[in-house]
Amino acid sequence: MNNPEQHPATGAPPEGTPTPLKAIIEQARSARQHHTDDLFRRLGRGERLTAGQIYDTLHAHTVCTWWLLVARHIEYADSGGLRPSQAVARFISWIAPYATDPIPPEPAMLATAPRADVERAPALDHLERSLALIRQDAARTFLSQAKTLAVVCSAEQSPGASTGQETTA
């Protein structure tokens, strides 16, 4: 429990998790930490944040959260009896729709907005659109990583040892 990265609430991969999955989770965790540290360092110095820095941080957080949820799902779903490939396959089916979600239309400038909402309302509209685009990109990243994981795991399996269920992702 001394290492916060291994705390159960973070979704640390349980024992027996394939090495490629552990590597993807660690890569996602590292990217999230890097972008978060960079953002807070810049804020601490009073620097303005760029849209790119915010985008990268939110993207990294989204991808990392999904992979950590996969790890938690492996550990806790079906009383810990869920195979990693089955957990990944479940998340692929849950996350795939995000990759093709319709993006809200470009916000129109509302000339009739109340005085208090002249800046806030359009900013929130743009932010909603931006978050949808980040979520869509994060879904494509997750799905690409999951596809790579399935290829690597199937290549690592010996042909005689397979039961046909290991690589459903």
Side-chain angles (χ1 to χ4, degrees), residues 1-120:
M1 288 281 190
N2 292 339
N3 183 350
E5 292 297 318
Q6 298 302 316
H7 189 278
T10 65
E15 293 296 320
T17 300
T19 302
L21 178 56
K22 285 181 180 180
I24 287 174
I25 292 170
E26 186 53 40
Q27 176 189 17
R29 224 187 236 136
S30 294
R32 178 191 65 179
Q33 192 63 49
H34 166 75
H35 289 291
T36 301
D37 290 347
D38 181 55
L39 214 63
F40 281 106
R41 185 175 47 257
R42 290 172 188 277
L43 284 171
R45 290 188 290 207
E47 295 178 22
R48 284 188 181 186
L49 300 178
T50 67
Q53 293 161 341
I54 295 170
Y55 184 100
D56 291 344
T57 302
L58 292 174
H59 180 273
H61 271 267
T62 303
V63 172
C64 184
T65 298
W66 286 337
W67 281 114
L68 293 177
L69 286 171
V70 168
R72 288 188 71 191
H73 204 72
I74 291 168
E75 188 170 7
Y76 296 111
D78 300 335
S79 301
L82 188 66
R83 291 181 179 199
S85 59
Q86 292 169 318
V88 171
R90 283 183 185 178
F91 273 83
I92 287 172
S93 69
W94 293 338
I95 292 169
Y98 288 122
T100 57
D101 269 353
I103 301 301
E106 192 68 42
M109 297 306 288
L110 302 173
T112 60
R115 178 80 173 134
D117 284 343
V118 168
E119 294 171 346
R120 187 175 190 274

